[in-house]
DNA sequence: CCGCATCCGGGGCGATACTG
DNA sequence: CAGTATCGCCCCGGATGCGG
């Protein structure tokens, strides 16, 4: 990107991360951790390959991310955030919280979706409503991608990939799933909107928020 | 900007504020409060007038800012952030704190500067080192623009425009001024780098940080 | 298959000129 | 003061190719 040529810290930050796609690359690295070029590409539907390569070069030069050789079994290099890049994660998170208000109408017809994009909203909204209960595991699934939510001793942990022995599974379209997570819909309403539900209703109700804090 | 077409809150946020110049417009409205088109234009050196007009239209349509008729004596309309837009201010602030690390080398030869751009760094770094002392007033000046810093009862307030009866005045180039504010330079070092200083040294040392918290 | 580089068409952007 | 109009350029998007 052309520099703004302003001696202002906000402008200098945007000189580095203000380019198109740049903050979404940070998002992917924040949600996935160290990953391959191809993983990034899959998490950024719509990006041109040359643009991704160019952005990665720029961000590496700016000290925001680094490449590291993968451990022996793998032949490829891994890309991950540096300390400087990790300092951006809370900002990307907050930006995502601000953007939630533009999602309540549901996805546009040609919107793509990846399950791990729900991580930030899930971290914000999900709480362990029964901190004294036994550990519980929930799987959320859209298309072929899954995300695991584990509640244990009052803590909620969200991780990409399928859950090991889920007590409950939620699957279906993104919109009712997000509605449930954010408290806009309860489980019955989400099911009525097409969400598929299996397993322990108790587990779902333990994790999902009771009220809707989004404006 | 073309939408990213991703049903992700970060992408949706960037669909609204990810365009070039957009977050800098938010910065200006955050630092100035309600202001005129021309004020924005002056605070955004380098922007094309058609782009500013177009961005303002888009941001108004997105509910981020609004236009309001000025009180009778003035003939022009004022532009200000809505609640939704004000929710972006902490994000812009944090982005600015992150961008500080790219300013330590000083401005590029063709960088422009406005004094009120120091507001975010000043809010972060300046503290009242003598909360029991009498109110103190400091003016910082670069070129023709000034910024006032008032310390009173342990609180520090920063406002655009000249100070009324400043106990001390700092004037000169942006870089030594920022170095002083951020704690990279003490007053003598800043003066050695060309900063002009007048008035009460005690007032300056009361407000400026003792150590450098920037990496 | 992974990680790009290259090419090309379209549109966002930058700069200037002009207007109510 | 507050924009609109115009034009050229370069960034971006999409497709293809290619070496490891």
């Amino acid at each position: 990107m052309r520099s703004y040529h302003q001696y202002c810290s906000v402008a200098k930050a945007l000189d580095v991360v203000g380019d198109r796609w740049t903050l979404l690359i940070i998002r992917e690295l924040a949600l996935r951790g160290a990953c391959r070029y191809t993983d990034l590409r899959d998490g950024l539907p719509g990006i041109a390959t040359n643009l991704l390569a160019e952005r990665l070069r720029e961000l590496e030069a700016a000290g925001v991310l680094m490449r590291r050789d993968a451990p022996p079994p793998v032949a490829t290099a891994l890309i991950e955030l540096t300390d400087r890049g990790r300092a951006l994660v809370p900002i990307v998170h907050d930006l995502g919280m601000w953007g939630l208000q533009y999602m309540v109408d549901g996805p546009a017809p040609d919107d793509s979706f990846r399950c791990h994009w729900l991580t930030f909203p899930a971290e914000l909204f999900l709480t362990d409503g029964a901190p004294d209960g036994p550990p519980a595991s929930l799987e959320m699934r859209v298309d072929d991608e899954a995300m695991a939510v584990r509640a244990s001793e009052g803590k909620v942990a969200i991780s990409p990939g399928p859950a090991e022995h889920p007590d409950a599974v939620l699957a279906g379209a993104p919109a009712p799933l997000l509605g449930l997570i954010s408290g806009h819909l309860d489980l019955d309403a989400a099911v009525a909107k097409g969400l598929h539900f299996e397993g322990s209703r108790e587990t779902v109700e333990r994790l999902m928020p009771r009220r809707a804090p989004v404006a």
Side-chain angles (χ1 to χ4, degrees), chain A:
Chain A
M1 164 179 287
R2 289 192 43 156
S3 167
Y4 286 105
H5 295 297
Q6 298 184 355
Y7 193 62
C8 158
S9 59
V10 180
K12 291 300 178 192
L14 291 172
D15 281 348
V16 177
V17 297
D19 253 322
R20 189 158 165 82
W21 292 107
T22 307
L23 284 173
L24 293 186
I25 292 172
I26 311 289
R27 176 199 71 190
E28 283 302 305
L29 290 169
L31 298 181
R32 292 175 182 265
C35 63
R36 299 170 302 172
Y37 181 92
T38 310
D39 300 324
L40 285 180
R41 198 184 138 91
D42 175 73
L44 296 164
I47 196 173
T49 62
N50 55 347
L51 270 192
L52 178 53
E54 186 182 337
R55 293 288 178 272
L56 291 179
R57 248 180 284 129
E58 295 165 352
L59 289 172
E60 190 175 11
V64 173
L65 57 82
M66 55 183 293
R67 293 162 204 261
R68 180 168 52 87
D69 285 340
V74 193
T76 181
L78 293 180
I79 301 161
E80 61 187 333
L81 293 175
T82 60
D83 288 345
R84 186 180 286 189
R86 271 188 292 277
L88 284 169
V89 174
I91 297 176
V92 174
H93 175 95
D94 292 349
L95 207 52
M97 297 309 100
W98 186 83
L100 273 173
Q101 60 195 313
Y102 295 102
M103 298 185 76
V104 294
D105 301 332
D110 52 353
D111 274 2
S112 51
F113 181 78
R114 297 294 183 275
C115 213
H116 67 277
W117 292 346
L118 291 174
T119 303
F120 284 149
E123 284 174 353
L124 178 67
F125 290 115
L126 302 192
T127 56
D128 188 353
D132 299 331
S137 173
L138 170 68
E139 181 171 298
M140 304 196 289
R141 173 173 293 280
V142 177
D143 298 326
D144 283 348
E145 197 196 358
M147 209 169 54
V149 182
R150 288 181 43 80
S152 174
E153 297 173 5
K155 301 277 186 186
V156 176
I158 293 135
S159 55
E164 300 212 2
H165 299 290
D167 302 299
V169 175
L170 296 167
L177 187 53
L178 178 63
L180 180 63
I181 291 175
S182 64
H184 276 83
L185 304 175
D186 63 18
L187 181 53
D188 291 329
V191 167
K193 297 227 173 199
L195 192 68
H196 192 71
F197 162 63
E198 255 180 38
S200 153
R201 164 178 289 263
E202 190 185 332
T203 297
V204 176
E205 288 173 345
R206 172 178 174 180
L207 283 161
M208 298 300 162
R210 299 274 165 196
R211 295 201 141 272
V214 163

